[in-house]
Amino acid sequence: GNTAIAYVFASIIAGGVASILLCPMESARIRVVTDQDYKGLGLIQCLARLIKEDSFASLFGGIFAMLSKQVPYTIGKQ
């Protein structure tokens, strides 16, 4: 009943929040492992450089892929 619907909505929100928080970190991780110019940078240095070179919005370039993975995962975990 209502409890199941509440769990589904809570899972969708949790998955969305997780995706928004994880997406910039995932963008940084991918850049560090694929671009020699970023090799050895920490998370903060990498994020600052990505923002400077590409823009803040570039950190969320993979948000739709992240959402399509994270939201079903969080629903399934309930």
Short mmCIF file of all heavy atoms in Angstrom, two decimals:
data_model
loop_
_atom_site.label_atom_id
_atom_site.label_comp_id
_atom_site.label_asym_id
_atom_site.label_seq_id
_atom_site.Cartn_x
_atom_site.Cartn_y
_atom_site.Cartn_z
N GLY A 1 0.78 -1.17 0.00
CA GLY A 1 0.00 0.00 0.00
C GLY A 1 0.83 1.25 0.00
O GLY A 1 1.76 1.42 -0.79
N ASN A 2 0.49 2.14 0.88
CA ASN A 2 1.16 3.44 0.95
C ASN A 2 2.62 3.33 1.37
O ASN A 2 3.44 4.14 0.97
CB ASN A 2 0.42 4.37 1.90
CG ASN A 2 -0.91 4.80 1.34
OD1 ASN A 2 -1.12 4.77 0.13
ND2 ASN A 2 -1.82 5.20 2.22
N THR A 3 2.94 2.33 2.17
CA THR A 3 4.32 2.15 2.62
C THR A 3 5.22 1.82 1.43
O THR A 3 6.32 2.37 1.31
CB THR A 3 4.41 1.03 3.67
OG1 THR A 3 3.53 1.36 4.75
CG2 THR A 3 5.82 0.89 4.20
N ALA A 4 4.77 0.95 0.56
CA ALA A 4 5.57 0.58 -0.61
C ALA A 4 5.80 1.78 -1.51
O ALA A 4 6.92 1.99 -2.00
CB ALA A 4 4.88 -0.54 -1.39
N ILE A 5 4.78 2.59 -1.72
CA ILE A 5 4.92 3.79 -2.55
C ILE A 5 5.90 4.77 -1.90
O ILE A 5 6.74 5.37 -2.58
CB ILE A 5 3.54 4.44 -2.78
CG1 ILE A 5 2.68 3.52 -3.66
CG2 ILE A 5 3.68 5.81 -3.42
CD1 ILE A 5 1.22 3.94 -3.75
N ALA A 6 5.81 4.91 -0.59
CA ALA A 6 6.72 5.80 0.13
C ALA A 6 8.16 5.33 -0.03
O ALA A 6 9.07 6.15 -0.24
CB ALA A 6 6.35 5.88 1.60
N TYR A 7 8.39 4.01 0.06
CA TYR A 7 9.74 3.46 -0.12
C TYR A 7 10.26 3.72 -1.52
O TYR A 7 11.43 4.04 -1.72
CB TYR A 7 9.78 1.97 0.19
CG TYR A 7 9.83 1.64 1.66
CD1 TYR A 7 8.98 0.70 2.21
CD2 TYR A 7 10.76 2.26 2.50
CE1 TYR A 7 9.03 0.39 3.56
CE2 TYR A 7 10.82 1.95 3.85
CZ TYR A 7 9.95 1.02 4.37
OH TYR A 7 10.01 0.71 5.71
N VAL A 8 9.41 3.57 -2.53
CA VAL A 8 9.83 3.80 -3.91
C VAL A 8 10.21 5.27 -4.10
O VAL A 8 11.26 5.58 -4.66
CB VAL A 8 8.74 3.37 -4.92
CG1 VAL A 8 9.05 3.87 -6.32
CG2 VAL A 8 8.57 1.87 -4.91
N PHE A 9 9.37 6.19 -3.61
CA PHE A 9 9.69 7.61 -3.74
C PHE A 9 10.96 7.97 -2.96
O PHE A 9 11.79 8.75 -3.44
CB PHE A 9 8.52 8.48 -3.31
CG PHE A 9 7.47 8.60 -4.37
CD1 PHE A 9 6.17 8.23 -4.10
CD2 PHE A 9 7.77 9.09 -5.63
CE1 PHE A 9 5.18 8.33 -5.08
CE2 PHE A 9 6.80 9.21 -6.61
CZ PHE A 9 5.50 8.83 -6.34
N ALA A 10 11.11 7.42 -1.78
CA ALA A 10 12.32 7.68 -0.99
C ALA A 10 13.55 7.15 -1.71
O ALA A 10 14.61 7.80 -1.72
CB ALA A 10 12.19 7.04 0.39
N SER A 11 13.42 6.01 -2.35
CA SER A 11 14.53 5.43 -3.10
C SER A 11 14.89 6.29 -4.31
O SER A 11 16.07 6.48 -4.62
CB SER A 11 14.19 4.02 -3.58
OG SER A 11 14.01 3.16 -2.49
N ILE A 12 13.89 6.81 -4.99
CA ILE A 12 14.14 7.68 -6.14
C ILE A 12 14.87 8.94 -5.70
O ILE A 12 15.85 9.36 -6.32
CB ILE A 12 12.82 8.02 -6.86
CG1 ILE A 12 12.26 6.76 -7.55
CG2 ILE A 12 13.01 9.15 -7.86
CD1 ILE A 12 10.85 6.91 -8.06
N ILE A 13 14.42 9.53 -4.61
CA ILE A 13 15.07 10.74 -4.10
C ILE A 13 16.49 10.43 -3.65
O ILE A 13 17.43 11.17 -3.96
CB ILE A 13 14.23 11.37 -2.98
CG1 ILE A 13 12.92 11.92 -3.56
CG2 ILE A 13 15.01 12.47 -2.26
CD1 ILE A 13 11.89 12.31 -2.53
N ALA A 14 16.67 9.33 -2.93
CA ALA A 14 18.00 8.96 -2.46
C ALA A 14 18.93 8.69 -3.63
O ALA A 14 20.10 9.10 -3.61
CB ALA A 14 17.92 7.73 -1.56
N GLY A 15 18.44 8.01 -4.64
CA GLY A 15 19.26 7.74 -5.83
C GLY A 15 19.62 9.01 -6.56
O GLY A 15 20.74 9.16 -7.05
N GLY A 16 18.68 9.94 -6.63
CA GLY A 16 18.95 11.23 -7.28
C GLY A 16 20.00 12.03 -6.53
O GLY A 16 20.93 12.58 -7.13
N VAL A 17 19.87 12.08 -5.21
CA VAL A 17 20.84 12.81 -4.39
C VAL A 17 22.22 12.17 -4.50
O VAL A 17 23.23 12.85 -4.68
CB VAL A 17 20.38 12.89 -2.92
CG1 VAL A 17 21.49 13.42 -2.02
CG2 VAL A 17 19.13 13.75 -2.80
N ALA A 18 22.26 10.85 -4.43
CA ALA A 18 23.54 10.14 -4.56
C ALA A 18 24.18 10.43 -5.91
O ALA A 18 25.39 10.65 -6.00
CB ALA A 18 23.33 8.63 -4.38
N SER A 19 23.39 10.44 -6.97
CA SER A 19 23.92 10.72 -8.30
C SER A 19 24.49 12.11 -8.39
O SER A 19 25.57 12.32 -8.96
CB SER A 19 22.82 10.54 -9.36
OG SER A 19 22.40 9.21 -9.41
N ILE A 20 23.79 13.09 -7.82
CA ILE A 20 24.27 14.47 -7.86
C ILE A 20 25.58 14.62 -7.09
O ILE A 20 26.48 15.33 -7.51
CB ILE A 20 23.19 15.42 -7.31
CG1 ILE A 20 22.02 15.48 -8.30
CG2 ILE A 20 23.75 16.82 -7.04
CD1 ILE A 20 20.77 16.14 -7.76
N LEU A 21 25.70 13.91 -5.98
CA LEU A 21 26.94 13.98 -5.19
C LEU A 21 28.08 13.19 -5.83
O LEU A 21 29.23 13.61 -5.76
CB LEU A 21 26.68 13.47 -3.77
CG LEU A 21 25.74 14.31 -2.93
CD1 LEU A 21 25.46 13.62 -1.60
CD2 LEU A 21 26.30 15.70 -2.71
N LEU A 22 27.77 12.06 -6.44
CA LEU A 22 28.81 11.20 -6.99
C LEU A 22 29.31 11.62 -8.37
O LEU A 22 30.45 11.34 -8.72
CB LEU A 22 28.30 9.75 -7.07
CG LEU A 22 28.08 9.04 -5.75
CD1 LEU A 22 27.41 7.70 -5.98
CD2 LEU A 22 29.40 8.86 -5.03
N CYS A 23 28.46 12.27 -9.15
CA CYS A 23 28.81 12.59 -10.53
C CYS A 23 30.10 13.41 -10.65
O CYS A 23 30.96 13.06 -11.45
CB CYS A 23 27.64 13.27 -11.22
SG CYS A 23 27.73 13.14 -13.02
N PRO A 24 30.30 14.49 -9.89
CA PRO A 24 31.56 15.22 -10.01
C PRO A 24 32.78 14.37 -9.63
O PRO A 24 33.83 14.46 -10.26
CB PRO A 24 31.39 16.39 -9.03
CG PRO A 24 29.93 16.57 -8.91
CD PRO A 24 29.34 15.19 -9.03
N MET A 25 32.62 13.53 -8.61
CA MET A 25 33.73 12.67 -8.21
C MET A 25 34.05 11.65 -9.29
O MET A 25 35.21 11.34 -9.55
CB MET A 25 33.41 11.99 -6.88
CG MET A 25 33.42 12.96 -5.72
SD MET A 25 33.12 12.16 -4.16
CE MET A 25 31.37 12.47 -3.98
N GLU A 26 33.02 11.13 -9.93
CA GLU A 26 33.23 10.18 -11.02
C GLU A 26 33.88 10.86 -12.21
O GLU A 26 34.77 10.29 -12.86
CB GLU A 26 31.89 9.55 -11.41
CG GLU A 26 31.99 8.45 -12.41
CD GLU A 26 32.66 7.18 -11.89
OE1 GLU A 26 32.94 7.08 -10.69
OE2 GLU A 26 32.92 6.30 -12.72
N SER A 27 33.49 12.10 -12.50
CA SER A 27 34.12 12.85 -13.59
C SER A 27 35.60 13.06 -13.31
O SER A 27 36.44 12.91 -14.20
CB SER A 27 33.44 14.21 -13.77
OG SER A 27 32.12 14.06 -14.20
N ALA A 28 35.92 13.39 -12.08
CA ALA A 28 37.32 13.57 -11.69
C ALA A 28 38.09 12.26 -11.78
O ALA A 28 39.20 12.22 -12.32
CB ALA A 28 37.40 14.14 -10.27
N ARG A 29 37.50 11.19 -11.31
CA ARG A 29 38.18 9.88 -11.35
C ARG A 29 38.48 9.48 -12.79
O ARG A 29 39.59 9.03 -13.10
CB ARG A 29 37.31 8.81 -10.69
CG ARG A 29 37.99 7.44 -10.61
CD ARG A 29 37.02 6.36 -10.19
NE ARG A 29 36.03 6.07 -11.20
CZ ARG A 29 36.23 5.30 -12.27
NH1 ARG A 29 37.42 4.76 -12.48
NH2 ARG A 29 35.27 5.09 -13.14
N ILE A 30 37.52 9.65 -13.65
CA ILE A 30 37.71 9.27 -15.05
C ILE A 30 38.82 10.11 -15.68
O ILE A 30 39.66 9.59 -16.43
CB ILE A 30 36.38 9.39 -15.84
CG1 ILE A 30 35.43 8.30 -15.38
CG2 ILE A 30 36.62 9.31 -17.34
CD1 ILE A 30 34.01 8.46 -15.87
N ARG A 31 38.82 11.40 -15.38
CA ARG A 31 39.86 12.27 -15.96
C ARG A 31 41.25 11.89 -15.46
O ARG A 31 42.21 11.87 -16.22
CB ARG A 31 39.55 13.73 -15.64
CG ARG A 31 40.45 14.72 -16.33
CD ARG A 31 40.34 14.68 -17.85
NE ARG A 31 39.08 15.14 -18.33
CZ ARG A 31 38.84 16.35 -18.82
NH1 ARG A 31 39.82 17.23 -18.92
NH2 ARG A 31 37.64 16.67 -19.23
N VAL A 32 41.35 11.55 -14.18
CA VAL A 32 42.65 11.18 -13.61
C VAL A 32 43.20 9.91 -14.25
O VAL A 32 44.39 9.81 -14.51
CB VAL A 32 42.56 11.03 -12.07
CG1 VAL A 32 43.78 10.33 -11.49
CG2 VAL A 32 42.38 12.39 -11.42
N VAL A 33 42.34 8.95 -14.55
CA VAL A 33 42.83 7.69 -15.11
C VAL A 33 42.95 7.71 -16.63
O VAL A 33 43.60 6.82 -17.19
CB VAL A 33 41.96 6.48 -14.67
CG1 VAL A 33 41.98 6.32 -13.17
CG2 VAL A 33 40.56 6.57 -15.19
N THR A 34 42.37 8.71 -17.29
CA THR A 34 42.44 8.73 -18.75
C THR A 34 43.29 9.85 -19.32
O THR A 34 43.64 9.82 -20.50
CB THR A 34 41.03 8.85 -19.38
OG1 THR A 34 40.41 10.07 -18.96
CG2 THR A 34 40.16 7.66 -19.01
N ASP A 35 43.64 10.86 -18.53
CA ASP A 35 44.38 12.01 -19.04
C ASP A 35 45.68 12.15 -18.25
O ASP A 35 45.67 12.41 -17.04
CB ASP A 35 43.52 13.27 -18.89
CG ASP A 35 44.10 14.48 -19.58
OD1 ASP A 35 45.34 14.54 -19.74
OD2 ASP A 35 43.32 15.38 -19.95
N GLN A 36 46.80 11.99 -18.92
CA GLN A 36 48.11 12.06 -18.26
C GLN A 36 48.35 13.41 -17.58
O GLN A 36 49.09 13.48 -16.60
CB GLN A 36 49.22 11.78 -19.27
CG GLN A 36 49.30 10.33 -19.70
CD GLN A 36 49.65 9.41 -18.55
OE1 GLN A 36 50.52 9.70 -17.73
NE2 GLN A 36 48.95 8.29 -18.47
N ASP A 37 47.75 14.48 -18.10
CA ASP A 37 47.93 15.80 -17.49
C ASP A 37 47.29 15.89 -16.11
O ASP A 37 47.63 16.77 -15.32
CB ASP A 37 47.34 16.89 -18.39
CG ASP A 37 48.09 17.04 -19.69
OD1 ASP A 37 49.28 16.66 -19.74
OD2 ASP A 37 47.48 17.53 -20.66
N TYR A 38 46.37 15.00 -15.81
CA TYR A 38 45.67 15.00 -14.52
C TYR A 38 46.23 13.94 -13.56
O TYR A 38 45.81 13.87 -12.42
CB TYR A 38 44.18 14.76 -14.73
CG TYR A 38 43.43 15.96 -15.22
CD1 TYR A 38 43.52 16.39 -16.54
CD2 TYR A 38 42.60 16.68 -14.37
CE1 TYR A 38 42.84 17.49 -17.00
CE2 TYR A 38 41.90 17.80 -14.82
CZ TYR A 38 42.03 18.20 -16.14
OH TYR A 38 41.35 19.29 -16.58
N LYS A 39 47.14 13.13 -14.05
CA LYS A 39 47.68 12.04 -13.24
C LYS A 39 48.32 12.59 -11.97
O LYS A 39 49.07 13.55 -12.00
CB LYS A 39 48.70 11.25 -14.04
CG LYS A 39 49.18 10.02 -13.33
CD LYS A 39 50.10 9.19 -14.21
CE LYS A 39 50.49 7.94 -13.47
NZ LYS A 39 51.31 7.07 -14.30
N GLY A 40 47.99 11.99 -10.84
CA GLY A 40 48.57 12.37 -9.56
C GLY A 40 47.83 13.48 -8.84
O GLY A 40 48.17 13.80 -7.71
N LEU A 41 46.82 14.07 -9.46
CA LEU A 41 46.04 15.11 -8.79
C LEU A 41 45.08 14.49 -7.78
O LEU A 41 44.52 13.43 -8.02
CB LEU A 41 45.23 15.93 -9.79
CG LEU A 41 45.99 16.82 -10.76
CD1 LEU A 41 45.00 17.55 -11.67
CD2 LEU A 41 46.86 17.82 -10.03
N GLY A 42 44.88 15.17 -6.67
CA GLY A 42 43.87 14.76 -5.70
C GLY A 42 42.49 15.21 -6.17
O GLY A 42 42.36 15.92 -7.18
N LEU A 43 41.48 14.81 -5.44
CA LEU A 43 40.10 15.13 -5.82
C LEU A 43 39.87 16.63 -5.92
O LEU A 43 39.33 17.11 -6.93
CB LEU A 43 39.12 14.51 -4.82
CG LEU A 43 37.64 14.84 -5.05
CD1 LEU A 43 37.17 14.28 -6.39
CD2 LEU A 43 36.80 14.31 -3.91
N ILE A 44 40.27 17.38 -4.92
CA ILE A 44 40.02 18.83 -4.90
C ILE A 44 40.77 19.52 -6.04
O ILE A 44 40.20 20.36 -6.75
CB ILE A 44 40.40 19.44 -3.53
CG1 ILE A 44 39.62 18.78 -2.40
CG2 ILE A 44 40.20 20.95 -3.54
CD1 ILE A 44 38.12 18.88 -2.54
N GLN A 45 42.04 19.16 -6.23
CA GLN A 45 42.81 19.77 -7.31
C GLN A 45 42.22 19.44 -8.67
O GLN A 45 42.14 20.29 -9.55
CB GLN A 45 44.28 19.32 -7.28
CG GLN A 45 45.05 19.78 -6.08
CD GLN A 45 45.02 18.76 -4.95
OE1 GLN A 45 44.38 17.72 -5.05
NE2 GLN A 45 45.71 19.08 -3.87
N CYS A 46 41.79 18.20 -8.82
CA CYS A 46 41.20 17.77 -10.09
C CYS A 46 39.89 18.48 -10.36
O CYS A 46 39.65 18.97 -11.48
CB CYS A 46 41.01 16.25 -10.09
SG CYS A 46 40.43 15.60 -11.67
N LEU A 47 39.02 18.56 -9.37
CA LEU A 47 37.74 19.26 -9.55
C LEU A 47 37.97 20.74 -9.88
O LEU A 47 37.31 21.28 -10.78
CB LEU A 47 36.88 19.13 -8.30
CG LEU A 47 36.31 17.74 -8.02
CD1 LEU A 47 35.62 17.72 -6.66
CD2 LEU A 47 35.36 17.30 -9.11
N ALA A 48 38.90 21.37 -9.19
CA ALA A 48 39.18 22.79 -9.45
C ALA A 48 39.68 22.98 -10.88
O ALA A 48 39.26 23.91 -11.58
CB ALA A 48 40.21 23.31 -8.45
N ARG A 49 40.53 22.10 -11.33
CA ARG A 49 41.05 22.20 -12.70
C ARG A 49 39.97 21.93 -13.74
O ARG A 49 39.91 22.60 -14.77
CB ARG A 49 42.23 21.24 -12.86
CG ARG A 49 42.95 21.39 -14.17
CD ARG A 49 44.25 20.65 -14.16
NE ARG A 49 44.81 20.64 -15.49
CZ ARG A 49 45.89 19.97 -15.81
NH1 ARG A 49 46.55 19.27 -14.89
NH2 ARG A 49 46.34 20.00 -17.04
N LEU A 50 39.13 20.94 -13.48
CA LEU A 50 38.03 20.66 -14.41
C LEU A 50 37.10 21.86 -14.53
O LEU A 50 36.67 22.21 -15.63
CB LEU A 50 37.25 19.43 -13.95
CG LEU A 50 37.85 18.07 -14.25
CD1 LEU A 50 37.08 16.97 -13.52
CD2 LEU A 50 37.87 17.81 -15.73
N ILE A 51 36.78 22.48 -13.41
CA ILE A 51 35.90 23.66 -13.43
C ILE A 51 36.57 24.79 -14.20
O ILE A 51 35.93 25.46 -15.02
CB ILE A 51 35.53 24.09 -12.00
CG1 ILE A 51 34.63 23.03 -11.36
CG2 ILE A 51 34.86 25.46 -12.00
CD1 ILE A 51 34.43 23.21 -9.87
N LYS A 52 37.85 25.00 -13.95
CA LYS A 52 38.58 26.08 -14.62
C LYS A 52 38.67 25.85 -16.12
O LYS A 52 38.48 26.77 -16.91
CB LYS A 52 39.98 26.20 -14.01
CG LYS A 52 40.81 27.31 -14.59
CD LYS A 52 42.17 27.37 -13.92
CE LYS A 52 43.03 28.44 -14.58
NZ LYS A 52 44.38 28.43 -14.04
N GLU A 53 38.96 24.62 -16.52
CA GLU A 53 39.19 24.32 -17.94
C GLU A 53 37.91 24.06 -18.72
O GLU A 53 37.82 24.39 -19.90
CB GLU A 53 40.13 23.13 -18.09
CG GLU A 53 41.53 23.41 -17.62
CD GLU A 53 42.46 22.22 -17.76
OE1 GLU A 53 42.02 21.14 -18.22
OE2 GLU A 53 43.64 22.37 -17.38
N ASP A 54 36.93 23.42 -18.08
CA ASP A 54 35.74 22.97 -18.82
C ASP A 54 34.44 23.62 -18.37
O ASP A 54 33.49 23.63 -19.12
CB ASP A 54 35.59 21.45 -18.72
CG ASP A 54 36.74 20.70 -19.36
OD1 ASP A 54 37.38 21.27 -20.26
OD2 ASP A 54 36.99 19.55 -18.96
N SER A 55 34.32 24.05 -17.17
CA SER A 55 33.14 24.68 -16.55
C SER A 55 32.58 23.78 -15.46
O SER A 55 32.82 22.57 -15.44
CB SER A 55 32.03 25.01 -17.55
OG SER A 55 31.25 23.87 -17.84
N PHE A 56 31.83 24.41 -14.59
CA PHE A 56 31.18 23.67 -13.50
C PHE A 56 30.20 22.63 -14.05
O PHE A 56 30.12 21.51 -13.55
CB PHE A 56 30.46 24.64 -12.56
CG PHE A 56 29.80 23.98 -11.40
CD1 PHE A 56 30.54 23.55 -10.31
CD2 PHE A 56 28.43 23.77 -11.38
CE1 PHE A 56 29.94 22.93 -9.23
CE2 PHE A 56 27.81 23.15 -10.31
CZ PHE A 56 28.58 22.74 -9.23
N ALA A 57 29.47 23.00 -15.09
CA ALA A 57 28.48 22.09 -15.68
C ALA A 57 29.11 20.81 -16.22
O ALA A 57 28.47 19.76 -16.25
CB ALA A 57 27.69 22.80 -16.77
N SER A 58 30.37 20.89 -16.63
CA SER A 58 31.03 19.70 -17.18
C SER A 58 31.17 18.58 -16.15
O SER A 58 31.28 17.41 -16.52
CB SER A 58 32.41 20.06 -17.73
OG SER A 58 33.32 20.33 -16.68
N LEU A 59 31.13 18.93 -14.86
CA LEU A 59 31.23 17.92 -13.81
C LEU A 59 30.01 16.99 -13.82
O LEU A 59 30.06 15.89 -13.28
CB LEU A 59 31.35 18.58 -12.44
CG LEU A 59 32.57 19.45 -12.20
CD1 LEU A 59 32.51 20.05 -10.81
CD2 LEU A 59 33.85 18.67 -12.39
N PHE A 60 28.91 17.45 -14.42
CA PHE A 60 27.67 16.70 -14.43
C PHE A 60 27.33 16.15 -15.82
O PHE A 60 26.18 15.85 -16.10
CB PHE A 60 26.53 17.57 -13.89
CG PHE A 60 26.76 17.99 -12.47
CD1 PHE A 60 27.38 19.19 -12.18
CD2 PHE A 60 26.40 17.16 -11.43
CE1 PHE A 60 27.63 19.57 -10.88
CE2 PHE A 60 26.64 17.53 -10.12
CZ PHE A 60 27.25 18.74 -9.84
N GLY A 61 28.34 16.03 -16.67
CA GLY A 61 28.12 15.53 -18.02
C GLY A 61 27.54 14.12 -18.06
O GLY A 61 26.82 13.77 -18.98
N GLY A 62 27.83 13.33 -17.06
CA GLY A 62 27.34 11.96 -17.02
C GLY A 62 26.17 11.75 -16.08
O GLY A 62 25.90 10.61 -15.67
N ILE A 63 25.45 12.82 -15.75
CA ILE A 63 24.39 12.70 -14.74
C ILE A 63 23.27 11.77 -15.17
O ILE A 63 22.75 11.00 -14.35
CB ILE A 63 23.85 14.10 -14.34
CG1 ILE A 63 22.94 13.99 -13.10
CG2 ILE A 63 23.11 14.76 -15.47
CD1 ILE A 63 23.64 13.66 -11.83
N PHE A 64 22.90 11.78 -16.44
CA PHE A 64 21.80 10.92 -16.88
C PHE A 64 22.19 9.44 -16.82
O PHE A 64 21.39 8.59 -16.42
CB PHE A 64 21.29 11.33 -18.25
CG PHE A 64 20.69 12.70 -18.26
CD1 PHE A 64 21.29 13.74 -18.93
CD2 PHE A 64 19.53 12.96 -17.54
CE1 PHE A 64 20.74 15.01 -18.91
CE2 PHE A 64 18.97 14.23 -17.49
CZ PHE A 64 19.58 15.26 -18.19
N ALA A 65 23.43 9.15 -17.19
CA ALA A 65 23.92 7.77 -17.07
C ALA A 65 23.97 7.35 -15.60
O ALA A 65 23.59 6.23 -15.24
CB ALA A 65 25.29 7.64 -17.71
N MET A 66 24.43 8.26 -14.75
CA MET A 66 24.51 7.98 -13.32
C MET A 66 23.12 7.75 -12.73
O MET A 66 22.91 6.81 -11.96
CB MET A 66 25.20 9.13 -12.61
CG MET A 66 25.42 8.93 -11.14
SD MET A 66 26.77 7.83 -10.72
CE MET A 66 28.16 8.84 -11.10
N LEU A 67 22.16 8.59 -13.11
CA LEU A 67 20.78 8.41 -12.63
C LEU A 67 20.18 7.10 -13.11
O LEU A 67 19.50 6.41 -12.34
CB LEU A 67 19.90 9.58 -13.10
CG LEU A 67 20.08 10.90 -12.37
CD1 LEU A 67 19.38 12.01 -13.14
CD2 LEU A 67 19.57 10.82 -10.96
N SER A 68 20.45 6.74 -14.35
CA SER A 68 19.87 5.51 -14.89
C SER A 68 20.44 4.27 -14.22
O SER A 68 19.84 3.21 -14.26
CB SER A 68 20.06 5.43 -16.41
OG SER A 68 21.42 5.26 -16.73
N LYS A 69 21.60 4.41 -13.60
CA LYS A 69 22.20 3.31 -12.85
C LYS A 69 21.81 3.36 -11.37
O LYS A 69 21.42 2.35 -10.79
CB LYS A 69 23.72 3.36 -13.00
CG LYS A 69 24.44 2.30 -12.21
CD LYS A 69 25.94 2.50 -12.29
CE LYS A 69 26.34 3.56 -11.30
NZ LYS A 69 27.75 3.67 -11.03
N GLN A 70 21.91 4.53 -10.78
CA GLN A 70 21.77 4.67 -9.33
C GLN A 70 20.33 4.53 -8.85
O GLN A 70 20.07 3.90 -7.82
CB GLN A 70 22.36 6.01 -8.88
CG GLN A 70 22.57 6.14 -7.41
CD GLN A 70 23.65 5.21 -6.91
OE1 GLN A 70 24.64 4.94 -7.58
NE2 GLN A 70 23.46 4.69 -5.71
N VAL A 71 19.37 5.13 -9.56
CA VAL A 71 17.98 5.10 -9.10
C VAL A 71 17.43 3.66 -9.07
O VAL A 71 16.89 3.24 -8.05
CB VAL A 71 17.10 6.06 -9.93
CG1 VAL A 71 15.63 5.86 -9.62
CG2 VAL A 71 17.50 7.50 -9.64
N PRO A 72 17.57 2.89 -10.15
CA PRO A 72 17.08 1.50 -10.06
C PRO A 72 17.81 0.69 -8.98
O PRO A 72 17.19 -0.16 -8.32
CB PRO A 72 17.36 0.92 -11.45
CG PRO A 72 17.43 2.09 -12.34
CD PRO A 72 17.99 3.20 -11.52
N TYR A 73 19.10 0.97 -8.79
CA TYR A 73 19.85 0.27 -7.76
C TYR A 73 19.27 0.56 -6.38
O TYR A 73 19.06 -0.36 -5.56
CB TYR A 73 21.32 0.69 -7.82
CG TYR A 73 22.15 0.15 -6.69
CD1 TYR A 73 22.57 -1.17 -6.67
CD2 TYR A 73 22.50 0.96 -5.60
CE1 TYR A 73 23.32 -1.68 -5.63
CE2 TYR A 73 23.25 0.46 -4.56
CZ TYR A 73 23.66 -0.86 -4.57
OH TYR A 73 24.39 -1.35 -3.52
N THR A 74 18.98 1.84 -6.08
CA THR A 74 18.45 2.16 -4.76
C THR A 74 17.03 1.63 -4.57
O THR A 74 16.67 1.25 -3.47
CB THR A 74 18.48 3.68 -4.48
OG1 THR A 74 17.79 4.37 -5.51
CG2 THR A 74 19.89 4.19 -4.37
N ILE A 75 16.26 1.58 -5.63
CA ILE A 75 14.91 0.98 -5.53
C ILE A 75 15.05 -0.50 -5.22
O ILE A 75 14.34 -1.04 -4.37
CB ILE A 75 14.10 1.22 -6.81
CG1 ILE A 75 13.73 2.70 -6.95
CG2 ILE A 75 12.82 0.36 -6.81
CD1 ILE A 75 13.10 3.06 -8.27
N GLY A 76 15.97 -1.17 -5.90
CA GLY A 76 16.17 -2.60 -5.68
C GLY A 76 16.69 -2.95 -4.30
O GLY A 76 16.45 -4.03 -3.79
N LYS A 77 17.41 -2.02 -3.68
CA LYS A 77 17.96 -2.27 -2.35
C LYS A 77 16.88 -2.23 -1.27
O LYS A 77 17.09 -2.68 -0.17
CB LYS A 77 19.05 -1.25 -2.02
CG LYS A 77 20.29 -1.39 -2.84
CD LYS A 77 21.00 -2.69 -2.60
CE LYS A 77 21.75 -2.63 -1.31
NZ LYS A 77 22.52 -3.83 -1.02
N GLN A 78 15.72 -1.65 -1.57
CA GLN A 78 14.64 -1.58 -0.59
C GLN A 78 14.04 -2.92 -0.51
O GLN A 78 13.42 -3.58 -0.13
CB GLN A 78 13.61 -0.53 -0.98
CG GLN A 78 14.14 0.88 -0.88
CD GLN A 78 14.54 1.27 0.53
OE1 GLN A 78 13.92 0.88 1.51
NE2 GLN A 78 15.58 2.04 0.66
#
